């Protein structure tokens, strides 16, 4: 478990104190679990969990050309965002391949905040710089710590500590200058677990105090610290893409189930031509979700079969702690990309029965 | 945490001699490392296992690992309860979480396994 060359968040000592097991993730030494993946997963589905996601990158784009820059960079339509609103979007290459998937929030008329993946922050920053016109690009990753408070009790827990309140914040909206237990934060109602929840940005060095205060305040509600292990099983049950696994520079949003984020009619953007052509010609493969029919667990890289022939590969796979079965994602030719289609997954050389299902695997009740 | 009457393999299996049979499981260290065990692929009764060769597979939420036989011989019992309750491997690795029982073909192989003191050194824990 050598940590040489790995970056640490300001919460590293707090993770050690709470007995976290640490792993390398995207160049960072991060907690993979505290009490155990299944227990933490269940806590987020039934109560609440607190995640350190300070490793993620924050990039601000500000200036007269900020909106045009954002519009050029992403496939989704930022022009419809009022101040305080945000959206999820891929950022594409001219080929339509995905540079990264990110959230972007409109912090002001001419100021936007990108929240990007940890492992791709440097690449994203260079890409944003290269395409920014008449706008300043600032990497704020080193100064902003990010905590994610997720689960059905998240809203009640946060409301106790915030002035003004956070409970009324609509989904995918952000508010700055919020006092959370004496720490000045921005709060967005967003997350990566399939549950209601918030992402809370604060100054890097204030995060340890905020972390402890939140855990104390939420203890009676069942709030527990959660590591990247459960973050991955939660996001997979919710069928949220993991960059580097399910999507990357060789896959397009139309092949992944992200067609809804591609607004071909919004005007020019990087990748538009390729995506338009792909839409007209039809995709050659699609990312689908599948469930195991027999007791087996699919893993990333396992071959997907139909009639004994390889048709694709799993990009993610796990045992879903909440849905209690083996679940996975993978690319297959379009003729197999319909719910109900039976496929096999090659598990240690043996075909095991699976079925393509409608995504997500888990959806919270409203 | 690490019973003194067991022998330990470098792959984190334990072996307990019970008369002319050997009960096999994985150590607390391995169970903790795997975290939540959700699936154990077991051999059939009658299968032949070979010293330090894979005889089954254990999967946690996150990882897949082979199970290695700490002794060669015939499998005479299989813990079928693990099919429905694989988590017992985590909660009781030396008791209800046992995996197979082997009738050894060469009991001298057990001498090649580690004592608890040797094993604790390998995993970097104090006795």
């Amino acid at each position: 478990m050598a940590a040489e060359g790995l970056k640490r968040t300001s919460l590293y000592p707090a993770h050690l104190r709470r007995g976290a097991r640490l792993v390398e993730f995207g160049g960072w030494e991060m907690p993979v679990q505290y009490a155990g993946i299944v227990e933490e997963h269940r806590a987020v589905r039934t109560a609440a969990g607190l995640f350190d996601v300070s490793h993620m990158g924050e990039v601000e784009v500000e200036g007269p050309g900020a909106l045009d820059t954002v519009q050029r960079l992403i496939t989704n339509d930022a022009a419809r965002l009022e101040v305080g609103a945000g959206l999820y979007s891929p950022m594409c290459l001219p080929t339509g391949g995905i540079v990264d998937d990110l959230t972007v929030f409109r912090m002001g008329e001419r100021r936007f905040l990108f929240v990007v993946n940890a492992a791709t922050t440097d690449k994203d920053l260079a890409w944003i710089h290269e395409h920014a016109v008449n706008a300043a690009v600032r990497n704020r990753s080193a100064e902003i710590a990010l905590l994610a408070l997720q689960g059905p009790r998240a809203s009640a827990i946060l409301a106790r500590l915030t002035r003004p309140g956070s409970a009324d914040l609509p989904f995918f909206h952000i508010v700055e200058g919020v006092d959370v237990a004496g720490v000045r934060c921005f709060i967005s109602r967003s997350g990566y677990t399939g549950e209601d929840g918030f992402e809370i940005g604060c100054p890097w060095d204030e995060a340890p105090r905020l972390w402890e205060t939140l855990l104390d305040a939420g203890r009676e509600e069942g709030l527990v610290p959660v590591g990247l292990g459960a973050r991955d099983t939660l996001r997979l049950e919710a069928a949220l893409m993991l960059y580097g696994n399910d999507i990357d520079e060789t896959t397009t949003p139309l092949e992944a189930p992200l067609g809804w984020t591609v607004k071909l009619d919004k005007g020019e953007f990087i990748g538009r031509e390729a995506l338009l052509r792909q839409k007209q010609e039809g995709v050659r493969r699609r990312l689908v979700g599948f469930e195991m029919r027999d007791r087996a667990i699919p893993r990333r890289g396992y071959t997907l079969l139909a009639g004994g022939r390889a048709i694709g590969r799993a990009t993610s796979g796990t045992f879903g702690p909440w849905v209690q079965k083996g679940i996975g994602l993978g690319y297959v030719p379009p003729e197999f990309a319909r719910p109900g289609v039976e496929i096999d997954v090659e598990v240690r050389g043996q075909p095991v029965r699976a079925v393509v299902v409608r995504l997500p695997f888990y959806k919270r009740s409203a | 945490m690490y019973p003194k009457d067991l022998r330990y393999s470098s792959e984190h299996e334990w072996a307990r001699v019970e008369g002319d049979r050997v009960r096999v499981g994985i150590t607390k260290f391995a169970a903790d490392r795997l975290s939540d065990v959700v699936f154990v692929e077991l051999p059939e009764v009658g299968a032949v296992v070979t010293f330090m060769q894979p005889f089954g597979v254990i999967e946690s939420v996150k990882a897949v690992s082979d199970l290695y036989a700490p002794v060669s011989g015939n499998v005479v019992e299989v813990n079928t309860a693990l099919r429905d309750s694989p988590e017992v491997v985590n909660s009781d690795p030396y008791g209800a979480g046992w995996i197979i029982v082997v009738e050894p073909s060469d009991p001298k192989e057990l001498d090649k396994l580690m004592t608890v003191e040797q094993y604790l050194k390998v995993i970097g824990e104090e006795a």
Side-chain angles (χ1 to χ4, degrees):
Chain A
M1 201 149 300
E4 217 166 313
L6 294 182
K7 291 179 272 191
R8 291 171 175 173
T9 76
S10 59
L11 288 166
Y12 176 79
H15 299 320
L16 288 185
R17 267 202 309 279
R18 290 191 180 263
R21 187 183 302 167
L22 298 158
V23 294
E24 191 275 334
F25 182 84
W28 293 77
E29 191 174 11
M30 298 295 291
V32 64
Q33 65 168 62
Y34 304 82
I37 292 172
V38 171
E39 194 175 323
E40 293 162 31
H41 185 110
R42 290 206 181 111
V44 175
R45 290 272 182 261
T46 58
L50 188 63
F51 304 71
D52 176 14
V53 287
S54 302
H55 58 315
M56 296 189 73
E58 294 86 9
V59 180
E60 222 169 54
V61 176
E62 183 172 20
L67 176 60
D68 287 344
T69 296
V70 171
Q71 287 290 72
R72 192 173 308 118
L73 286 166
I74 68 172
T75 63
N76 208 334
D77 187 5
R80 63 187 172 85
L81 294 178
E82 63 205 66
V83 173
L87 48 73
Y88 167 84
S89 181
M91 179 163 76
C92 285
L93 296 166
T95 59
I98 302 172
V99 176
D100 197 10
D101 67 331
L102 48 84
T103 53
V104 57
F105 292 97
R106 188 166 202 169
M107 311 304 283
E109 280 300 327
R110 307 197 306 188
R111 184 162 62 95
F112 292 82
L113 178 71
F114 287 103
V115 181
V116 303
N117 282 298
T120 53
T121 301
D122 291 344
K123 177 181 82 164
D124 293 357
L125 193 64
W127 186 253
I128 294 168
H129 260 300
E130 190 182 333
H131 296 283
V133 175
N134 218 0
V137 179
R138 271 199 306 276
N139 181 9
R140 299 194 57 201
S141 307
E143 60 189 91
I144 297 175
L146 201 61
L147 308 185
L149 178 64
Q150 301 281 300
R153 305 303 300 157
S155 179
I157 294 165
L158 191 58
R160 273 198 233 133
L161 299 174
T162 58
R163 279 193 309 272
S166 52
D168 298 334
L169 190 65
F171 183 61
F172 248 101
H173 278 61
I174 194 164
V175 55
E176 283 185 290
V178 181
D179 179 329
V180 184
V183 180
R184 199 176 157 79
C185 299
F186 68 76
I187 296 174
S188 65
R189 196 156 203 158
S190 53
Y192 193 50
T193 60
E195 299 299 331
D196 184 22
F198 301 86
E199 289 172 311
I200 307 164
C202 73
W204 191 258
D205 294 333
E206 301 271 24
R209 186 155 64 92
L210 187 59
W211 174 265
E212 297 301 334
T213 307
L214 278 164
L215 285 174
D216 282 346
R219 187 172 297 125
E220 281 177 22
E221 308 265 6
L223 177 65
V224 295
V226 181
L228 294 181
R231 187 168 160 85
D232 190 52
T233 54
L234 288 158
R235 73 91 195 166
L236 185 49
E237 283 185 345
L240 299 167
M241 300 295 104
L242 175 60
Y243 191 83
N245 281 31
D246 308 312
I247 51 175
D248 59 27
E249 293 190 355
T250 70
T251 63
T252 78
L254 299 178
E255 294 166 346
L258 298 176
W260 62 277
T261 65
V262 179
K263 302 296 185 335
L264 292 168
D265 54 2
K266 74 163 183 171
E268 265 317 304
F269 62 88
I270 301 166
R272 183 176 180 277
E273 274 175 48
L275 293 169
L276 184 62
R277 195 165 51 242
Q278 195 175 42
K279 186 157 192 173
Q280 285 162 348
E281 292 172 2
V283 295
R284 279 187 224 135
R285 57 178 181 172
R286 274 184 197 286
L287 186 84
V288 296
F290 57 87
E291 286 179 0
M292 303 310 294
R293 280 271 168 91
D294 296 323
R295 285 197 80 152
I297 302 165
R299 305 283 179 185
R300 182 186 182 201
Y302 281 13
T303 302
L304 308 180
L305 307 159
R309 187 171 62 88
I311 55 164
R313 219 166 258 287
T315 54
S316 284
T318 192
F319 178 80
W322 188 260
V323 299
Q324 286 286 307
K325 55 185 109 172
I327 55 174
L329 300 173
Y331 286 95
V332 296
E335 61 265 35
F336 299 101
R338 284 191 325 277
V341 169
E342 295 189 356
I343 61 171
D344 292 309
V345 180
E346 191 177 298
V347 180
R348 294 182 283 281
Q350 297 297 319
V352 181
R353 293 189 311 141
V355 62
V356 174
V357 295
R358 201 174 298 282
L359 292 174
F361 302 103
Y362 163 85
K363 194 165 187 182
R364 76 186 155 102
S365 41
Chain B
M1 291 260 275
Y2 299 95
K4 288 194 172 20
D5 62 325
L6 305 182
R7 302 305 293 260
Y8 297 87
S9 82
S10 55
E11 298 289 341
H12 310 288
E13 285 81 17
W14 54 259
R16 179 187 288 130
V17 177
E18 298 176 355
D20 55 0
R21 293 175 164 197
V22 176
R23 192 173 297 268
V24 175
I26 67 164
T27 67
K28 178 93 174 81
F29 176 83
D32 286 350
R33 284 282 127 182
L34 282 166
S35 76
D36 308 283
V37 172
V38 289
F39 184 69
V40 186
E41 196 174 280
L42 299 161
E44 300 289 329
V45 169
V48 175
V49 298
T50 307
F51 182 70
M52 293 321 289
Q53 293 297 310
F55 71 84
V57 172
I58 189 160
E59 297 204 46
S60 67
V61 172
K62 289 307 291 177
V64 188
S65 300
D66 283 323
L67 294 164
Y68 291 85
V71 66
S72 304
N74 282 314
V75 176
V76 290
E77 262 186 82
V78 169
N79 190 356
T80 52
L82 297 180
R83 294 207 173 108
D84 292 323
S85 309
E87 67 279 2
V88 180
V89 174
N90 293 115
S91 58
D92 191 9
Y94 305 112
W98 65 276
I99 295 170
I100 55 170
V101 177
V102 178
E103 208 166 59
S105 52
D106 181 6
K108 279 206 262 337
E109 283 172 344
L110 292 166
D111 298 336
K112 298 181 194 166
L113 300 175
M114 288 180 268
T115 63
V116 69
E117 290 80 11
Q118 290 166 325
Y119 182 66
L120 287 170
K121 256 185 215 149
V122 165
I123 60 173
E125 288 194 19
E126 297 296 316

